């Protein structure tokens, strides 16, 4: 028999409009008198194209809870008492009324499928008990659990008692069993309502944009029914499953925690759809084990009746979700289920267990003292010098078969009247006179006496072994072929490698770093910094003549530039002298300093700077031993056309050559070396103020130990990060 699928269209909510209703229940054209069995919905892209889906029954928005129970669920109760399993589950997207269909409300009219099912079971159980005059007893036990984030949790237990991993699933007799799941006996409908309401508090629920009380887990209620009539007991199970709805996170606007829950729900429903598709296509493998929900539901594998209630939303905002649910239900109704009655359990007579005392118990005689391991006088008559037989076990082992004895001299004592190969005892446990089969007796074994060695004997043995090993090692060394001698060059190379491995070559590595930095400063024209780096590298290469010659040449260049600067010291040539001030520049700043500046009033000074600081060629720069460096190709800048020189500062000097008060005030502020006062100047921020203070560290001799005092605006413009335009803004921004 195929799975019975019924569809239910939920009523409209207050905020939903009649013009948005697109899902309707239609009657069959062949027999209009029958209840509706068709669901009609327009296409998502074309409203004129109507899709029609046929199911066992279709309930519109006006259908009540009682009508759905009477027509669909009530007929399954008699099959449940006859020993058939029943599975009822609600399917649909979020916000379509699945929990309302299964659980319902608190009033009698709004009660759902589960309370009405329990009420019908108790009513039929009382009727059977009354008709049989107490000969037939009905016992009901409940188990209630949820699948939250693909983990099984018992709802009859408090959430603080749960474990992080949840309960485990096992297979037993072709059915899925949950290990550690509690079962509560339920005697009446009041007991059920108390247990059910208490367990629903523990269920995981949350609010989303589409549903204020959205179920965040799949809830399964198992009703175990045992009908005992005489010696026959029929056990059947009714499973009521409230599945969580599939969600579109773009519409629900789920947060972080809700996204994790939604992903788990959608995954389990996707696996369920895969299982339904595999069953409908009759594939060899059905992916039940990819989700715990599909393992428990086991569509197509459970033997009994299965009812699916498809919940649908009637409005247009659920259009795609409704089409997906209808397609899933259309495939589900094609699954065939075997209606097989559960085998009854027969109550037989209890198995008789033979008591410890009684006339039927047969005792074994005590073993003689000579047969125990404590007797040290066994086999003393053996005077031939041969070793005694292997000692036998001092305990008896029960066995169904007699082992063949191959050892000579072993004898087994058997009592008269006992069989040599005892058989298993008969399965007729109702007879209390069944005698216990005799055990096969193991042969008697004797124990060997262990010799105790003294400490001196142990030391002698160890010394003898050590001497033998040393003698064998000496013989092996004498017979070994001598190794050839290693040349001095190879030995020196090995020592260098050992020093490098042990980390003793760190000094040379540090010297190479200084040489590399000196090369970079020299290419940029920073001869003072290059001289300092070469001097520091000389400590690691003391006997390098080329390095000493390079240091002498750089020292002469620095001295010549210092002399030239002293000769050209004046207001008109301050900008030219700043090119000779040693500064530590980055690569980007060096490239900017090489490029001609559009706001520089004296471009000829830059040309003189390039002529004086030509980069050193690769042929001249060769360091000692294994140091090699590739020179960076310099760019051939075009010389800009000559421009008319304009004085940098219009009122820098008065007619008699003295500085103006504005200039003196600006230099006084900078020479205070107070970052706060410098930042108050126009066009100066925190970074530029720090650059000015760092530039003051470099003195004329290149020592960099003390800060210098600026004497003119040209020196201020020559600092790192400060230009003529910045100095002009600083000077004009002062208020006297």
């Amino acid at each position: 028999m195929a799975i019975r699928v019924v569809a239910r269209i939920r009523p409209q909510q207050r905020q939903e409009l009649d013009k948005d209703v697109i899902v309707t229940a239609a009657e069959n054209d062949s027999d209009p008198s029958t209840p509706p069995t068709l669901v009609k919905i327009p296409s998502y892209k074309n409203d004129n194209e109507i899709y029609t889906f046929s199911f066992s029954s279709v309930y519109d928005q006006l259908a009540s809870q009682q009508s759905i129970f009477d027509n669909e669920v009530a007929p399954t109760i008699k099959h449940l008492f006859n020993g058939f399993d029943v599975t009822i589950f609600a399917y649909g997207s979020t916000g379509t009324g699945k929990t309302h269909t299964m659980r319902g409300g608190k009033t009698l009219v709004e009660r759902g499928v589960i309370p009405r099912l329990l009420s019908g079971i108790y009513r039929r159980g009382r009727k059977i008990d009354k008709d049989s005059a107490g000969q037939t007893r009905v016992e009901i036990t409940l188990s209630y659990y949820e699948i939250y984030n693909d983990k099984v949790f018992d709802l009859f237990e408090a959430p603080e008692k749960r474990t992080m991993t949840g309960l485990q699933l096992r297979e037993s007799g072709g059915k899925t069993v949950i290990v550690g799941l509690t079962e509560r006996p339920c005697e009446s409908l009041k007991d059920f309502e108390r247990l059910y309401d208490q367990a629903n508090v523990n269920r995981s629920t949350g609010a989303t944009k589409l549903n204020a009380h959205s179920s965040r887990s799949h809830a399964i209620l198992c009703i175990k029914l045992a009908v005992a009539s005489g010696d026959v007991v029929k056990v059947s199970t009714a499973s009521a499953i409230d599945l969580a709805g599939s969600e579109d996170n773009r519409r629900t606007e789920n947060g972080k925690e809700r996204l994790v829950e939604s992903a788990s729900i959608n995954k389990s429903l996707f696996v369920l759809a895969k299982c339904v598709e595999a069953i409908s296509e009759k594939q060899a493998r059905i992916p039940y084990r990819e989700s715990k929900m599909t393992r428990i539901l086991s569509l197509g594998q459970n033997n009994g009746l299965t009812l699916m209630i498809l919940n649908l939303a009637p409005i247009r905002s659920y259009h795609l979700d409704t089409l997906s649910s209808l397609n899933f239900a259309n495939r589900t109704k094609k699954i065939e289920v075997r209606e097989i009655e559960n085998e009854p359990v027969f109550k037989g007579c209890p198995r008789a267990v033979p008591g410890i005392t009684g006339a039927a118990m047969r005792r074994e005689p005590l073993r003689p003292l000579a047969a125990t391991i404590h007797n040290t006088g066994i086999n003393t008559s053996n005077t031939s010098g041969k070793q005694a037989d292997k000692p036998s076990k001092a305990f008896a082992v029960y066995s169904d078969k007699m082992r063949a004895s191959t050892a000579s001299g072993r004898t087994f004592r058997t009592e008269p009247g006992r069989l040599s190969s005892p058989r298993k005892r008969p399965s007729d446990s109702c007879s209390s006179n069944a005698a216990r089969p005799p055990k096969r007796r193991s042969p008697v074994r004797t124990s060997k006496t262990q010799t105790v060695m003294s400490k001196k004997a142990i030391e002698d043995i160890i010394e003898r072994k050590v001497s033998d090993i040393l003698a064998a090692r000496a013989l092996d060394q004498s017979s070994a072929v001598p190794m050839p001698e290693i040349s001095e060059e190879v030995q020196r190379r090995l020592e260098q490698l050992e020093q490098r491995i042990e980390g003793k070559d760190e000094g040379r590595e540090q010297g190479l770093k200084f040489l590399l930095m000196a090369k970079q400063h020299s290419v940029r024209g920073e001869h003072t910094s290059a001289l300092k780096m070469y001097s520091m590298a000389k400590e690691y290469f003391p006997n390098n003549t080329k390095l000493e010659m390079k240091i002498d040449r750089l020292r002469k260049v620095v001295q010549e530039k210092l002399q030239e600067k002293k000769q050209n010291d004046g207001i008109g040539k301050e900008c030219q002298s700043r090119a000779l001030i040693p500064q530590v520049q980055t690569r980007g700043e060096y490239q900017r300093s090489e490029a001609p500046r559009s706001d520089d009033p004296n471009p000829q000074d830059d040309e003189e700077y390039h002529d004086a600081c030509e980069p050193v060629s690769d042929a001249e720069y060769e360091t000692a031993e294994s140091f090699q460096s590739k020179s960076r190709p310099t760019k051939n800048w075009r010389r800009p056309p000559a421009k008319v020189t304009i004085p940098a500062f219009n009122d820098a000097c008065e007619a008699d050559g003295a500085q103006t008060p504005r200039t003196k005030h600006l230099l006084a502020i900078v020479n205070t070396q107070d970052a706060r006062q410098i930042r108050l100047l126009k066009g100066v921020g925190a970074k530029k103020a720090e650059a000015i203070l760092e530039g003051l560290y470099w003195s004329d001799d290149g020592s960099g130990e003390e800060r210098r005092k600026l004497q003119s605006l040209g020196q201020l413009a020559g600092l790192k990060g400060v230009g003529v335009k910045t100095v002009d803004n600083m000077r004009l921004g002062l208020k006297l």
Side-chain angles (χ1 to χ4, degrees):
M1 181 179 178
I3 295 178
R4 182 176 178 83
V5 179
V6 298
R8 182 183 186 183
I9 304 173
R10 70 163 174 82
Q12 291 179 238
Q13 299 178 359
R14 294 179 180 178
Q15 66 273 16
E16 297 173 354
L17 304 177
D18 293 339
K19 64 179 181 179
D20 294 333
V21 175
I22 58 174
V23 182
T24 57
E27 298 176 352
N28 195 350
D29 297 337
S30 59
D31 191 2
S33 61
T34 58
T37 58
L38 302 178
V39 174
K40 292 186 177 182
I41 182 174
S43 173
Y44 184 74
K45 297 182 179 180
N46 186 9
D47 291 342
N48 296 326
E49 183 180 0
I50 303 299
Y51 295 148
T52 303
F53 296 88
S54 176
F55 300 108
S56 300
S57 298
V58 177
Y59 296 89
D60 56 7
Q61 302 180 26
L62 302 177
S64 62
Q65 300 274 57
Q66 184 67 36
S67 62
I68 295 176
F69 175 78
D70 292 340
N71 297 331
E72 307 299 337
V73 183
T76 62
I77 296 178
K78 62 179 181 180
H79 296 284
L80 186 64
F81 277 86
N82 291 332
F84 292 92
D85 292 339
V86 177
T87 302
I88 305 170
F89 68 96
Y91 183 88
S93 60
T94 181
T96 55
K98 298 181 297 300
T99 304
H100 178 75
T101 301
M102 298 301 294
R103 188 194 305 180
K106 292 294 184 181
T107 62
L108 293 177
V109 178
E110 295 296 329
R111 287 192 308 170
V113 170
I114 294 176
R116 294 176 187 273
L117 176 63
L118 265 296
S119 178
I121 291 174
Y122 283 116
R123 192 183 303 109
R124 189 176 184 85
R126 289 193 298 268
K127 183 176 182 302
I128 292 175
D129 188 15
K130 182 178 179 180
D131 294 343
S132 62
Q135 297 296 326
T136 303
R137 298 182 306 277
V138 179
E139 296 180 358
I140 300 173
T141 56
L142 301 178
S143 59
Y144 196 20
Y145 57 94
E146 69 173 355
I147 304 175
Y148 177 71
N149 287 343
D150 208 31
K151 298 176 183 177
V152 180
F153 298 106
D154 192 351
L155 291 177
F156 284 146
E157 291 185 355
E160 56 269 13
K161 295 183 180 180
R162 297 177 178 178
T163 60
M164 296 296 294
T165 57
L167 304 179
Q168 303 299 320
L169 302 183
R170 296 290 184 269
E171 303 293 336
S172 176
K175 295 183 179 181
T176 303
V177 180
I178 301 174
V179 181
L181 184 63
T182 59
E183 292 185 354
R184 301 290 180 89
C186 192
E187 300 293 338
S188 62
L189 191 60
K190 291 184 178 180
D191 293 344
F192 163 73
E193 292 177 354
R194 177 179 55 82
L195 293 173
Y196 191 58
D197 293 341
Q198 180 182 359
N200 285 327
V201 175
N202 300 331
R203 187 181 177 185
S204 302
T205 58
T208 62
K209 186 178 179 181
L210 299 180
N211 191 357
H213 302 282
S214 176
S215 301
R216 314 309 299 168
S217 63
H218 308 296
I220 298 97
L221 175 67
C222 293
I223 307 167
K224 187 177 181 181
L225 181 66
V227 180
S229 178
D231 296 339
V232 180
V233 179
K234 292 183 178 180
V235 180
S236 57
T237 304
S239 300
I241 305 173
D242 179 15
L243 297 178
S246 59
E247 296 181 353
D248 186 356
N249 294 318
R250 295 170 297 182
R251 298 176 59 228
T252 56
E253 296 181 1
N254 290 330
K256 182 178 179 181
E257 183 179 0
R258 296 289 177 264
L259 279 175
V260 177
E261 298 170 351
S262 177
S264 177
I265 293 170
N266 291 339
K267 176 189 173 184
S268 59
L269 295 176
F270 176 70
V271 175
L272 178 61
K274 288 173 60 178
C275 294
V276 171
E277 184 177 1
I279 295 172
S280 60
E281 294 179 358
K282 297 181 180 181
Q283 296 181 5
R285 179 185 177 276
I286 302 173
Y288 287 114
R289 303 183 67 87
E290 293 185 7
S291 175
K292 291 185 178 179
M293 189 265 289
T294 53
R295 289 183 63 184
I296 294 172
L297 190 57
S298 297
L299 284 178
Q301 285 190 338
N302 47 358
N303 300 327
L305 290 89
T306 303
L307 173 65
M308 173 182 171
I309 303 176
L310 176 64
N311 293 86
L312 303 174
I315 59 176
R316 187 177 296 274
S317 59
Y318 289 83
H319 201 155
L320 290 178
D321 294 333
T322 303
L323 284 174
S324 177
S325 300
L326 289 170
N327 289 325
F328 173 80
N330 195 36
R331 292 193 300 267
T332 304
K333 70 179 183 179
K334 300 177 183 178
I335 299 176
E336 297 290 336
V337 181
R338 299 184 301 273
E339 294 184 9
I340 301 177
E341 181 182 352
N342 295 329
E343 295 182 359
V345 180
F346 296 93
K347 292 183 178 181
C349 59
R351 172 177 287 185
V353 180
I356 300 177
T357 59
M361 187 184 68
R362 185 178 299 176
R363 295 178 178 273
E364 291 186 7
L366 297 177
R367 299 177 183 176
L369 185 62
T372 62
I373 62 172
H374 301 287
N375 191 355
T376 57
I378 295 178
N379 296 331
T380 55
S381 60
N382 188 5
T383 58
S384 61
K386 296 182 181 179
Q387 295 182 354
D389 294 338
K390 185 177 180 181
S392 60
K393 294 181 181 179
F395 55 88
V397 179
Y398 176 77
S399 177
D400 293 339
K401 296 181 180 180
M402 179 65 69
R403 298 179 182 176
S405 177
T406 57
S408 60
R410 294 187 185 181
T411 58
F412 299 93
R413 297 186 302 273
T414 58
E415 295 183 2
R418 287 192 177 184
L419 299 176
S420 59
S421 59
R423 301 177 181 176
K424 288 186 178 180
R425 56 186 177 184
S427 59
D428 187 10
S429 58
C430 295
S431 175
S432 60
N433 296 328
R436 182 179 178 181
K439 296 181 178 179
R440 185 176 64 87
R441 185 174 300 168
S442 302
V444 180
R445 299 182 181 179
T446 58
S447 61
K448 295 182 180 180
T449 58
Q450 298 180 354
T451 58
V452 180
M453 299 180 65
S454 62
K455 185 177 181 180
K456 184 178 180 181
I458 295 174
E459 291 178 354
D460 293 341
I461 293 173
I462 295 173
E463 184 177 0
R464 195 182 312 114
K465 292 289 185 182
V466 170
S467 59
D468 294 342
I469 293 172
L470 292 177
R473 188 175 297 174
L475 292 175
D476 293 341
Q477 291 179 356
S478 61
S479 60
V481 180
M483 296 293 294
E485 296 183 359
I486 302 175
S487 61
E488 295 180 359
E489 183 179 358
V490 176
Q491 186 68 26
R492 185 168 61 254
R493 182 62 177 170
L494 290 175
E495 291 177 358
Q496 292 178 358
L497 291 175
E498 290 178 358
Q499 291 178 359
R500 184 172 299 177
I501 293 172
E502 294 175 0
K504 295 181 180 179
D505 203 17
E506 294 180 357
R508 177 181 173 84
E509 183 180 357
Q510 188 66 24
L512 294 177
K513 290 182 180 179
F514 287 137
L515 289 175
L516 180 59
M517 288 189 287
K519 172 71 174 178
Q520 294 174 352
H521 287 299
S522 179
V523 171
R524 296 173 186 169
E526 302 168 356
H527 301 292
T528 305
S529 301
L531 179 60
K532 189 174 181 180
M533 293 294 106
Y534 279 129
S535 301
M536 296 174 68
K538 186 179 178 182
E539 299 177 1
Y540 300 97
F541 306 103
N543 299 325
N544 195 333
T545 57
K546 292 184 179 180
L547 185 58
E548 293 176 358
M549 293 172 60
K550 192 176 293 294
I551 292 174
D552 295 338
R553 186 170 63 253
L554 283 175
R555 191 176 287 113
K556 291 179 182 180
V557 172
V558 172
Q559 291 176 359
E560 291 176 359
K561 291 185 178 294
L562 290 176
Q563 292 176 2
E564 185 180 354
K565 180 197 168 192
K566 291 178 181 179
Q567 293 175 1
N568 299 331
D569 190 10
I571 297 177
K573 297 183 180 180
E574 289 292 337
C575 294
Q576 180 180 0
S577 62
R578 66 189 175 101
L580 300 177
I581 299 175
Q583 298 179 6
V584 180
Q585 298 178 336
T586 61
R587 181 180 300 176
E589 292 171 350
Y590 170 66
Q591 293 176 357
R592 289 195 297 271
S593 64
E594 286 185 343
R597 296 171 52 178
S598 60
D599 57 347
D600 195 349
N602 297 320
Q604 290 83 358
D605 297 341
D606 293 337
E607 298 173 5
E608 295 177 2
Y609 172 79
H610 290 299
D611 296 338
C613 303
E614 294 181 357
V616 183
S617 62
D618 294 338
E620 296 178 358
Y621 184 74
E622 293 180 359
T623 55
E625 299 182 5
S626 62
F627 175 75
Q628 294 180 0
S629 175
K630 295 182 179 180
S631 62
R632 183 171 58 87
T634 58
K635 297 181 179 179
N636 297 326
W637 299 100
R638 296 181 183 178
R639 294 189 178 183
K643 297 181 181 179
V644 180
T645 58
I646 301 174
F649 311 106
N650 296 327
D651 60 342
C653 299
E654 294 181 353
D656 55 353
Q659 294 180 348
T660 61
R662 190 185 299 272
T663 302
K664 290 180 181 180
H665 186 47
L666 176 59
L667 294 176
I669 292 175
V670 176
N671 289 330
T672 57
Q673 301 176 4
D674 188 358
R676 275 191 248 169
Q677 296 185 21
I678 296 174
R679 288 176 59 183
L680 296 176
L681 296 174
K682 183 179 179 182
V684 180
K687 293 185 178 180
K688 190 164 290 187
E690 293 178 2
I692 292 172
L693 293 177
E694 290 178 0
L696 293 177
Y697 271 112
W698 292 93
S699 59
D700 294 341
D701 56 353
S703 61
E705 296 177 355
E706 298 180 357
R707 293 189 176 182
R708 56 176 174 159
K709 300 291 185 180
L710 299 179
Q711 303 298 330
S712 63
L713 296 180
Q715 293 180 356
L716 178 59
L719 295 179
K720 176 184 176 181
V722 182
V724 177
K725 192 173 183 179
T726 304
V727 173
D728 197 10
N729 292 334
M730 294 163 57
R731 185 178 56 81
L732 296 176
L734 292 175
K735 294 181 180 180
L736 298 178

